[in-house]
Short mmCIF file of all heavy atoms in Angstrom, two decimals:
data_model
loop_
_atom_site.label_atom_id
_atom_site.label_comp_id
_atom_site.label_asym_id
_atom_site.label_seq_id
_atom_site.Cartn_x
_atom_site.Cartn_y
_atom_site.Cartn_z
N MET E 1 211.73 -72.89 178.94
CA MET E 1 213.15 -72.93 179.18
C MET E 1 213.55 -71.76 180.15
O MET E 1 214.05 -70.66 179.74
CB MET E 1 213.89 -72.74 177.81
CG MET E 1 214.97 -73.74 177.55
SD MET E 1 215.65 -73.53 175.98
CE MET E 1 214.43 -74.52 174.98
N PRO E 2 213.12 -71.84 181.47
CA PRO E 2 213.41 -70.67 182.29
C PRO E 2 214.91 -70.48 182.45
O PRO E 2 215.75 -71.45 182.68
CB PRO E 2 212.80 -71.18 183.70
CG PRO E 2 212.12 -72.51 183.36
CD PRO E 2 212.60 -72.92 181.98
N GLY E 3 215.26 -69.22 182.53
CA GLY E 3 216.64 -68.77 182.76
C GLY E 3 217.57 -68.88 181.60
O GLY E 3 218.69 -68.50 181.55
N ALA E 4 217.06 -69.56 180.52
CA ALA E 4 217.92 -69.69 179.26
C ALA E 4 218.11 -68.34 178.66
O ALA E 4 217.22 -67.54 178.66
CB ALA E 4 217.37 -70.65 178.21
N PRO E 5 219.31 -68.01 178.02
CA PRO E 5 219.47 -66.75 177.52
C PRO E 5 218.66 -66.68 176.18
O PRO E 5 218.48 -67.56 175.33
CB PRO E 5 221.09 -66.70 177.19
CG PRO E 5 221.42 -68.22 177.18
CD PRO E 5 220.47 -68.85 178.01
N ARG E 6 218.29 -65.42 175.85
CA ARG E 6 217.77 -65.20 174.56
C ARG E 6 218.77 -64.90 173.61
O ARG E 6 219.82 -64.33 173.87
CB ARG E 6 216.81 -63.91 174.69
CG ARG E 6 215.50 -64.30 175.53
CD ARG E 6 214.42 -63.15 175.36
NE ARG E 6 214.02 -63.10 173.93
CZ ARG E 6 212.85 -63.69 173.53
NH1 ARG E 6 212.26 -64.46 174.27
NH2 ARG E 6 212.50 -63.62 172.26
N PRO E 7 218.58 -65.29 172.38
CA PRO E 7 219.54 -64.98 171.26
C PRO E 7 219.70 -63.49 171.03
O PRO E 7 218.51 -62.70 171.28
CB PRO E 7 219.03 -65.73 170.12
CG PRO E 7 217.55 -65.78 170.31
CD PRO E 7 217.38 -65.99 171.80
N THR E 8 220.73 -63.03 170.63
CA THR E 8 221.07 -61.63 170.40
C THR E 8 220.71 -61.31 168.87
O THR E 8 220.61 -60.09 168.49
CB THR E 8 222.43 -61.16 170.70
OG1 THR E 8 223.36 -62.16 170.13
CG2 THR E 8 222.68 -61.11 172.17
N ALA E 9 220.74 -62.35 168.15
CA ALA E 9 220.36 -62.25 166.64
C ALA E 9 219.72 -63.45 166.14
O ALA E 9 220.11 -64.59 166.75
CB ALA E 9 221.59 -61.82 165.87
N ILE E 10 219.15 -63.53 164.97
CA ILE E 10 218.60 -64.75 164.36
C ILE E 10 219.18 -64.65 162.88
O ILE E 10 218.99 -63.68 162.21
CB ILE E 10 217.18 -64.94 164.41
CG1 ILE E 10 216.76 -64.90 165.73
CG2 ILE E 10 216.79 -66.19 163.57
CD1 ILE E 10 215.16 -64.84 165.79
N HIS E 11 219.97 -65.62 162.60
CA HIS E 11 220.59 -65.64 161.20
C HIS E 11 219.75 -66.29 160.20
O HIS E 11 219.24 -67.61 160.52
CB HIS E 11 221.95 -66.24 161.24
CG HIS E 11 222.60 -66.26 159.83
ND1 HIS E 11 222.88 -67.23 159.17
CD2 HIS E 11 223.10 -65.12 159.10
CE1 HIS E 11 223.37 -66.94 157.93
NE2 HIS E 11 223.60 -65.66 157.95
N VAL E 12 219.38 -65.71 159.21
CA VAL E 12 218.48 -66.41 158.14
C VAL E 12 219.39 -66.58 156.85
O VAL E 12 219.98 -65.60 156.35
CB VAL E 12 217.29 -65.51 157.74
CG1 VAL E 12 216.51 -66.22 156.65
CG2 VAL E 12 216.49 -65.22 158.86
N ASP E 13 219.70 -67.93 156.57
CA ASP E 13 220.49 -68.21 155.37
C ASP E 13 219.53 -67.87 154.18
O ASP E 13 218.83 -68.93 153.82
CB ASP E 13 221.07 -69.42 155.41
CG ASP E 13 221.99 -69.79 154.31
OD1 ASP E 13 221.79 -69.16 153.11
OD2 ASP E 13 222.92 -70.75 154.46
N ARG E 14 219.70 -66.92 153.46
CA ARG E 14 218.66 -66.66 152.42
C ARG E 14 218.74 -67.63 151.25
O ARG E 14 217.82 -67.89 150.50
CB ARG E 14 218.87 -65.14 151.86
CG ARG E 14 218.35 -64.14 152.96
CD ARG E 14 218.59 -62.72 152.43
NE ARG E 14 217.72 -62.47 151.18
CZ ARG E 14 216.39 -62.09 151.24
NH1 ARG E 14 215.82 -61.86 152.51
NH2 ARG E 14 215.79 -61.74 150.29
N ALA E 15 219.91 -68.10 151.04
CA ALA E 15 220.20 -69.07 149.96
C ALA E 15 219.41 -70.36 150.31
O ALA E 15 219.03 -71.09 149.36
CB ALA E 15 221.57 -69.33 149.80
N GLN E 16 219.34 -70.59 151.74
CA GLN E 16 218.77 -71.99 152.06
C GLN E 16 217.23 -71.77 152.26
O GLN E 16 216.55 -72.81 152.05
CB GLN E 16 219.31 -72.42 153.37
CG GLN E 16 220.67 -72.74 153.41
CD GLN E 16 220.89 -74.17 152.83
OE1 GLN E 16 220.13 -75.03 152.83
NE2 GLN E 16 222.12 -74.33 152.16
N CYS E 17 216.78 -70.57 152.43
CA CYS E 17 215.31 -70.38 152.79
C CYS E 17 214.62 -70.65 151.51
O CYS E 17 214.82 -70.04 150.30
CB CYS E 17 215.08 -69.09 153.23
SG CYS E 17 213.30 -68.61 153.48
N MET E 18 213.59 -71.52 151.54
CA MET E 18 212.70 -71.74 150.35
C MET E 18 211.31 -71.25 150.52
O MET E 18 210.33 -71.64 149.90
CB MET E 18 212.80 -73.16 149.93
CG MET E 18 212.72 -74.16 151.11
SD MET E 18 210.90 -74.53 151.60
CE MET E 18 210.45 -75.80 150.52
N GLY E 19 211.12 -70.39 151.58
CA GLY E 19 209.95 -69.75 151.68
C GLY E 19 208.74 -70.53 152.25
O GLY E 19 207.69 -70.27 152.08
N SER E 20 208.88 -71.61 152.98
CA SER E 20 207.82 -72.58 153.36
C SER E 20 207.01 -71.85 154.38
O SER E 20 205.86 -72.34 154.56
CB SER E 20 208.45 -73.84 154.13
OG SER E 20 209.04 -73.37 155.31
N GLY E 21 207.52 -70.96 155.16
CA GLY E 21 206.60 -70.17 156.09
C GLY E 21 206.43 -70.97 157.48
O GLY E 21 205.74 -70.46 158.39
N MET E 22 207.18 -72.00 157.61
CA MET E 22 207.13 -72.70 158.96
C MET E 22 207.54 -71.88 160.14
O MET E 22 206.88 -71.77 161.21
CB MET E 22 207.93 -74.06 158.93
CG MET E 22 207.56 -75.07 157.85
SD MET E 22 205.85 -75.62 158.32
CE MET E 22 206.21 -76.74 159.80
N CYS E 23 208.64 -71.07 159.82
CA CYS E 23 209.18 -70.21 160.93
C CYS E 23 207.94 -69.15 161.37
O CYS E 23 207.79 -68.79 162.55
CB CYS E 23 210.33 -69.56 160.61
SG CYS E 23 210.37 -68.64 159.05
N ILE E 24 207.16 -68.72 160.35
CA ILE E 24 206.25 -67.69 160.63
C ILE E 24 204.98 -68.36 161.32
O ILE E 24 204.46 -67.76 162.20
CB ILE E 24 205.73 -67.11 159.23
CG1 ILE E 24 206.97 -66.45 158.55
CG2 ILE E 24 204.63 -66.14 159.53
CD1 ILE E 24 206.70 -66.01 157.15
N MET E 25 204.79 -69.65 160.95
CA MET E 25 203.75 -70.20 161.66
C MET E 25 204.01 -70.46 163.21
O MET E 25 203.22 -70.29 164.06
CB MET E 25 203.53 -71.72 161.12
CG MET E 25 202.20 -72.35 161.27
SD MET E 25 202.05 -73.95 160.47
CE MET E 25 202.66 -75.04 161.61
N TYR E 26 205.30 -70.83 163.54
CA TYR E 26 205.67 -71.09 164.98
C TYR E 26 206.01 -69.77 165.68
O TYR E 26 205.89 -69.66 166.98
CB TYR E 26 206.99 -71.94 164.95
CG TYR E 26 206.53 -73.42 164.88
CD1 TYR E 26 206.60 -74.02 163.55
CD2 TYR E 26 205.98 -74.10 165.84
CE1 TYR E 26 206.20 -75.36 163.42
CE2 TYR E 26 205.62 -75.51 165.76
CZ TYR E 26 205.73 -76.08 164.51
OH TYR E 26 205.26 -77.42 164.35
N ALA E 27 206.43 -68.74 165.00
CA ALA E 27 206.90 -67.49 165.72
C ALA E 27 206.42 -66.22 164.67
O ALA E 27 207.25 -65.70 164.17
CB ALA E 27 208.37 -67.56 165.90
N ALA E 28 205.13 -66.18 164.77
CA ALA E 28 204.55 -65.11 163.77
C ALA E 28 204.94 -63.67 164.17
O ALA E 28 204.88 -62.77 163.40
CB ALA E 28 202.99 -65.29 163.82
N ASN E 29 205.30 -63.50 165.46
CA ASN E 29 205.79 -62.09 165.80
C ASN E 29 207.25 -61.77 165.55
O ASN E 29 207.70 -60.69 165.70
CB ASN E 29 205.32 -61.77 167.26
CG ASN E 29 203.80 -61.89 167.46
OD1 ASN E 29 203.04 -61.28 166.73
ND2 ASN E 29 203.41 -62.69 168.47
N THR E 30 208.02 -62.91 165.26
CA THR E 30 209.37 -62.62 164.98
C THR E 30 209.78 -62.64 163.51
O THR E 30 210.57 -61.92 163.06
CB THR E 30 210.14 -63.96 165.66
OG1 THR E 30 209.72 -64.01 166.98
CG2 THR E 30 211.66 -63.83 165.52
N PHE E 31 209.02 -63.57 162.77
CA PHE E 31 209.40 -63.70 161.37
C PHE E 31 208.41 -63.18 160.48
O PHE E 31 207.11 -63.25 160.71
CB PHE E 31 209.71 -65.12 161.04
CG PHE E 31 210.77 -65.85 161.73
CD1 PHE E 31 210.59 -66.54 162.78
CD2 PHE E 31 212.12 -65.54 161.34
CE1 PHE E 31 211.61 -67.16 163.56
CE2 PHE E 31 213.25 -66.06 162.03
CZ PHE E 31 212.98 -66.76 163.25
N ALA E 32 208.68 -62.82 159.39
CA ALA E 32 207.79 -62.44 158.11
C ALA E 32 208.48 -62.79 156.88
O ALA E 32 209.61 -63.03 156.75
CB ALA E 32 207.47 -61.05 158.18
N HIS E 33 207.68 -62.84 155.72
CA HIS E 33 208.19 -62.92 154.44
C HIS E 33 208.57 -61.61 153.88
O HIS E 33 207.78 -60.78 153.86
CB HIS E 33 207.32 -63.76 153.52
CG HIS E 33 207.29 -65.24 153.69
ND1 HIS E 33 206.27 -66.09 153.34
CD2 HIS E 33 208.29 -66.00 153.93
CE1 HIS E 33 206.58 -67.27 153.56
NE2 HIS E 33 207.84 -67.23 153.93
N ASP E 34 209.62 -61.54 153.23
CA ASP E 34 209.85 -60.30 152.44
C ASP E 34 209.28 -60.49 151.04
O ASP E 34 208.58 -61.43 150.79
CB ASP E 34 211.36 -59.96 152.47
CG ASP E 34 212.23 -60.91 151.61
OD1 ASP E 34 211.75 -61.96 150.87
OD2 ASP E 34 213.45 -60.88 151.60
N ASP E 35 209.63 -59.51 150.03
CA ASP E 35 208.86 -59.58 148.81
C ASP E 35 209.45 -60.69 147.96
O ASP E 35 209.05 -60.84 146.79
CB ASP E 35 208.79 -58.07 148.10
CG ASP E 35 210.29 -57.54 148.03
OD1 ASP E 35 211.21 -58.25 148.32
OD2 ASP E 35 210.28 -56.32 147.73
N GLU E 36 210.44 -61.34 148.40
CA GLU E 36 211.12 -62.51 147.58
C GLU E 36 210.67 -63.75 148.29
O GLU E 36 211.27 -64.82 147.97
CB GLU E 36 212.55 -62.48 147.62
CG GLU E 36 213.16 -61.16 146.87
CD GLU E 36 214.71 -61.09 146.90
OE1 GLU E 36 215.35 -62.15 146.98
OE2 GLU E 36 215.23 -60.01 146.77
N THR E 37 209.78 -63.71 149.15
CA THR E 37 209.40 -64.91 150.13
C THR E 37 210.45 -65.52 150.83
O THR E 37 210.44 -66.75 150.98
CB THR E 37 208.59 -65.85 149.17
OG1 THR E 37 207.82 -65.20 148.10
CG2 THR E 37 207.54 -66.63 149.98
N LYS E 38 211.36 -64.70 151.20
CA LYS E 38 212.46 -65.14 152.11
C LYS E 38 212.05 -64.65 153.56
O LYS E 38 211.46 -63.68 153.62
CB LYS E 38 213.70 -64.62 151.65
CG LYS E 38 214.14 -64.93 150.32
CD LYS E 38 214.70 -66.29 150.20
CE LYS E 38 215.25 -66.50 148.67
NZ LYS E 38 215.68 -68.08 148.60
N ALA E 39 212.44 -65.46 154.46
CA ALA E 39 212.08 -65.08 155.89
C ALA E 39 213.03 -64.00 156.22
O ALA E 39 214.18 -63.93 156.00
CB ALA E 39 212.35 -66.39 156.73
N VAL E 40 212.51 -63.12 157.02
CA VAL E 40 213.18 -61.90 157.66
C VAL E 40 212.72 -61.85 159.11
O VAL E 40 211.59 -62.15 159.42
CB VAL E 40 212.93 -60.51 156.95
CG1 VAL E 40 213.61 -60.63 155.47
CG2 VAL E 40 211.50 -60.20 156.77
N VAL E 41 213.64 -61.32 159.94
CA VAL E 41 213.29 -61.13 161.34
C VAL E 41 212.65 -59.77 161.46
O VAL E 41 213.28 -58.68 161.09
CB VAL E 41 214.62 -61.27 162.18
CG1 VAL E 41 214.24 -60.92 163.69
CG2 VAL E 41 215.16 -62.71 162.10
N ILE E 42 211.56 -59.71 162.02
CA ILE E 42 210.77 -58.43 162.18
C ILE E 42 210.95 -57.91 163.74
O ILE E 42 210.96 -56.76 163.96
CB ILE E 42 209.43 -58.40 161.79
CG1 ILE E 42 208.61 -59.54 162.46
CG2 ILE E 42 209.35 -58.37 160.20
CD1 ILE E 42 207.16 -59.45 162.13
N ASP E 43 211.05 -58.92 164.71
CA ASP E 43 211.17 -58.48 166.00
C ASP E 43 211.82 -59.68 166.68
O ASP E 43 211.19 -60.68 166.96
CB ASP E 43 209.80 -58.15 166.61
CG ASP E 43 209.90 -57.77 168.11
OD1 ASP E 43 210.99 -57.72 168.66
OD2 ASP E 43 208.77 -57.47 168.64
N ILE E 44 213.04 -59.48 167.22
CA ILE E 44 213.71 -60.56 167.73
C ILE E 44 213.11 -60.97 169.13
O ILE E 44 213.38 -62.12 169.68
CB ILE E 44 215.24 -60.26 167.93
CG1 ILE E 44 216.03 -61.58 168.28
CG2 ILE E 44 215.51 -59.19 168.88
CD1 ILE E 44 217.61 -61.48 168.19
N ASP E 45 212.50 -60.05 169.70
CA ASP E 45 211.87 -60.40 170.98
C ASP E 45 210.43 -60.50 170.79
O ASP E 45 209.54 -60.32 171.80
CB ASP E 45 211.98 -59.15 171.99
CG ASP E 45 213.50 -58.88 172.33
OD1 ASP E 45 214.15 -60.03 172.55
OD2 ASP E 45 214.09 -57.91 172.34
N GLY E 46 209.93 -60.79 169.66
CA GLY E 46 208.43 -60.96 169.38
C GLY E 46 207.87 -62.25 169.94
O GLY E 46 206.59 -62.31 170.19
N ASP E 47 208.64 -63.32 170.13
CA ASP E 47 207.92 -64.53 170.52
C ASP E 47 208.79 -65.09 171.69
O ASP E 47 209.99 -64.60 171.99
CB ASP E 47 207.90 -65.53 169.37
CG ASP E 47 206.87 -65.11 168.41
OD1 ASP E 47 205.61 -65.25 168.72
OD2 ASP E 47 207.25 -64.68 167.32
N SER E 48 208.23 -66.16 172.37
CA SER E 48 208.98 -66.76 173.42
C SER E 48 210.13 -67.55 172.87
O SER E 48 210.22 -67.84 171.74
CB SER E 48 208.02 -67.77 174.25
OG SER E 48 207.83 -68.91 173.25
N LEU E 49 211.11 -67.89 173.84
CA LEU E 49 212.29 -68.65 173.42
C LEU E 49 211.85 -70.08 172.94
O LEU E 49 212.42 -70.44 171.85
CB LEU E 49 213.12 -68.82 174.68
CG LEU E 49 214.68 -69.25 174.40
CD1 LEU E 49 215.30 -68.36 173.33
CD2 LEU E 49 215.36 -69.28 175.79
N GLU E 50 210.87 -70.55 173.55
CA GLU E 50 210.36 -71.79 173.12
C GLU E 50 209.90 -71.81 171.62
O GLU E 50 210.16 -72.71 170.85
CB GLU E 50 209.42 -72.32 174.06
CG GLU E 50 208.82 -73.76 173.57
CD GLU E 50 207.70 -74.19 174.56
OE1 GLU E 50 207.20 -73.45 175.35
OE2 GLU E 50 207.40 -75.37 174.51
N ALA E 51 209.16 -70.73 171.36
CA ALA E 51 208.65 -70.61 169.99
C ALA E 51 209.76 -70.47 169.01
O ALA E 51 209.77 -70.87 167.99
CB ALA E 51 207.70 -69.35 169.92
N LEU E 52 210.75 -69.71 169.35
CA LEU E 52 212.04 -69.53 168.41
C LEU E 52 212.65 -70.84 168.22
O LEU E 52 212.97 -71.15 167.01
CB LEU E 52 212.97 -68.56 169.05
CG LEU E 52 212.63 -67.19 169.36
CD1 LEU E 52 213.80 -66.32 169.93
CD2 LEU E 52 212.08 -66.51 167.87
N HIS E 53 212.79 -71.60 169.30
CA HIS E 53 213.40 -72.93 169.04
C HIS E 53 212.55 -73.84 168.21
O HIS E 53 212.92 -74.58 167.38
CB HIS E 53 213.69 -73.68 170.46
CG HIS E 53 214.97 -73.12 171.13
ND1 HIS E 53 216.18 -73.57 170.72
CD2 HIS E 53 215.10 -72.27 172.19
CE1 HIS E 53 217.04 -72.93 171.59
NE2 HIS E 53 216.44 -72.03 172.33
N ASN E 54 211.20 -73.87 168.46
CA ASN E 54 210.47 -74.54 167.54
C ASN E 54 210.40 -74.13 166.09
O ASN E 54 210.42 -74.93 165.30
CB ASN E 54 208.94 -74.37 168.06
CG ASN E 54 208.64 -75.18 169.31
OD1 ASN E 54 209.44 -76.02 169.75
ND2 ASN E 54 207.73 -74.77 170.00
N ALA E 55 210.60 -72.90 165.86
CA ALA E 55 210.71 -72.35 164.56
C ALA E 55 211.92 -72.78 163.89
O ALA E 55 211.97 -73.18 162.72
CB ALA E 55 210.54 -70.75 164.57
N VAL E 56 213.06 -72.74 164.56
CA VAL E 56 214.45 -73.15 164.02
C VAL E 56 214.27 -74.68 163.70
O VAL E 56 214.71 -75.12 162.53
CB VAL E 56 215.52 -72.92 164.99
CG1 VAL E 56 216.84 -73.56 164.62
CG2 VAL E 56 215.71 -71.37 165.11
N GLU E 57 213.70 -75.40 164.57
CA GLU E 57 213.56 -76.90 164.37
C GLU E 57 212.68 -77.23 163.29
O GLU E 57 212.81 -78.31 162.54
CB GLU E 57 213.25 -77.54 165.66
CG GLU E 57 214.45 -77.76 166.60
CD GLU E 57 213.95 -78.01 168.01
OE1 GLU E 57 212.81 -78.83 168.16
OE2 GLU E 57 214.69 -77.71 168.94
N ALA E 58 211.65 -76.38 163.08
CA ALA E 58 210.63 -76.71 162.00
C ALA E 58 211.08 -76.40 160.62
O ALA E 58 210.53 -76.76 159.65
CB ALA E 58 209.40 -75.99 162.37
N CYS E 59 212.19 -75.54 160.54
CA CYS E 59 212.59 -75.02 159.28
C CYS E 59 212.97 -76.26 158.33
O CYS E 59 213.94 -76.92 158.87
CB CYS E 59 213.73 -73.99 159.30
SG CYS E 59 214.37 -73.62 157.73
N PRO E 60 212.53 -76.52 157.18
CA PRO E 60 212.72 -77.76 156.53
C PRO E 60 214.14 -77.70 155.91
O PRO E 60 214.60 -78.73 155.43
CB PRO E 60 211.63 -77.83 155.39
CG PRO E 60 211.16 -76.47 155.28
CD PRO E 60 211.33 -75.73 156.70
N THR E 61 214.75 -76.56 155.74
CA THR E 61 216.12 -76.54 155.13
C THR E 61 217.11 -76.09 156.07
O THR E 61 218.27 -75.92 155.64
CB THR E 61 215.97 -75.43 153.98
OG1 THR E 61 215.70 -74.16 154.43
CG2 THR E 61 215.00 -75.84 152.89
N GLY E 62 216.80 -76.02 157.25
CA GLY E 62 217.96 -75.61 158.23
C GLY E 62 218.50 -74.32 157.98
O GLY E 62 219.67 -73.89 158.33
N ALA E 63 217.61 -73.37 157.55
CA ALA E 63 218.08 -71.97 157.23
C ALA E 63 218.28 -70.99 158.39
O ALA E 63 218.79 -69.98 158.18
CB ALA E 63 217.09 -71.33 156.12
N LEU E 64 217.68 -71.38 159.41
CA LEU E 64 217.71 -70.44 160.61
C LEU E 64 218.70 -71.00 161.68
O LEU E 64 218.93 -72.10 161.98
CB LEU E 64 216.31 -70.55 161.30
CG LEU E 64 215.27 -70.05 160.39
CD1 LEU E 64 213.86 -70.22 161.08
CD2 LEU E 64 215.33 -68.52 159.93
N ALA E 65 219.37 -69.89 162.28
CA ALA E 65 220.21 -70.22 163.45
C ALA E 65 220.18 -68.97 164.44
O ALA E 65 220.14 -67.86 164.15
CB ALA E 65 221.70 -70.27 162.94
N LEU E 66 219.99 -69.46 165.61
CA LEU E 66 220.02 -68.50 166.77
C LEU E 66 221.35 -68.16 167.08
O LEU E 66 222.28 -69.00 167.21
CB LEU E 66 219.21 -69.01 168.04
CG LEU E 66 217.94 -69.62 167.87
CD1 LEU E 66 217.29 -70.13 169.11
CD2 LEU E 66 216.94 -68.53 167.29
N VAL E 67 221.76 -66.93 167.23
CA VAL E 67 223.12 -66.36 167.42
C VAL E 67 223.00 -65.78 168.83
O VAL E 67 222.30 -64.95 169.18
CB VAL E 67 223.36 -65.35 166.44
CG1 VAL E 67 224.71 -64.83 166.62
CG2 VAL E 67 223.29 -65.93 165.01
N TYR E 68 223.99 -66.19 169.77
CA TYR E 68 224.21 -65.53 170.94
C TYR E 68 225.43 -64.73 171.06
O TYR E 68 226.35 -64.90 170.21
CB TYR E 68 224.33 -66.68 172.01
CG TYR E 68 223.13 -67.56 172.04
CD1 TYR E 68 222.86 -68.63 171.24
CD2 TYR E 68 222.02 -67.11 172.93
CE1 TYR E 68 221.66 -69.27 171.26
CE2 TYR E 68 220.92 -67.77 172.97
CZ TYR E 68 220.65 -68.90 172.10
OH TYR E 68 219.37 -69.59 172.22
N GLU E 69 225.40 -63.72 171.82
CA GLU E 69 226.53 -62.59 171.74
C GLU E 69 227.84 -63.16 171.77
O GLU E 69 228.70 -62.87 171.06
CB GLU E 69 226.24 -61.64 172.86
CG GLU E 69 226.74 -60.23 172.65
CD GLU E 69 226.32 -59.33 173.70
OE1 GLU E 69 226.96 -59.13 174.62
OE2 GLU E 69 225.22 -58.65 173.48
N SER E 70 227.99 -64.18 172.76
CA SER E 70 229.29 -64.72 172.95
C SER E 70 229.91 -65.31 171.66
O SER E 70 231.16 -65.57 171.65
CB SER E 70 229.35 -65.68 174.04
OG SER E 70 228.47 -66.58 173.90
N GLU E 71 229.10 -65.78 170.77
CA GLU E 71 229.39 -66.37 169.49
C GLU E 71 229.91 -65.51 168.42
O GLU E 71 230.39 -65.86 167.49
CB GLU E 71 228.33 -67.43 169.07
CG GLU E 71 228.02 -68.45 169.96
CD GLU E 71 226.71 -69.28 169.41
OE1 GLU E 71 226.18 -68.78 168.42
OE2 GLU E 71 226.39 -70.19 170.13
N GLY E 72 229.60 -64.19 168.61
CA GLY E 72 229.67 -63.24 167.51
C GLY E 72 228.55 -63.48 166.47
O GLY E 72 227.78 -64.32 166.63
N VAL E 73 228.70 -62.57 165.46
CA VAL E 73 227.65 -62.68 164.38
C VAL E 73 228.45 -63.08 163.11
O VAL E 73 229.36 -62.55 162.68
CB VAL E 73 226.87 -61.37 164.28
CG1 VAL E 73 225.79 -61.48 163.13
CG2 VAL E 73 226.27 -61.17 165.59
S1 SF4 A 1 211.01 -72.16 157.82
FE1 SF4 A 1 212.99 -71.96 156.86
S2 SF4 A 1 212.58 -72.30 154.64
FE2 SF4 A 1 210.60 -71.77 155.65
S3 SF4 A 1 210.42 -69.60 155.43
FE3 SF4 A 1 211.26 -69.91 157.46
S4 SF4 A 1 213.55 -69.82 157.10
FE4 SF4 A 1 212.60 -70.08 155.04
#
């Protein structure tokens, strides 16, 4: 996705996250599990934009959302 803006944040809905680890599989430098097996963002610039989109789309519960500055947080 050349020229596409990178997200300024990634929102993880902890209530929705069921710890499948799909996001970590697709973007291992961006996501990790915390001690409750919920996804957390460890480095927002850790992976390519394509990997981030793949991770969001792969999440089985729709717990992830890319946030862009203009949308607020
Ligand atoms: S893919 Fe979704 S449900 Fe699975 S760990 Fe990541 S945020 Fe949680």
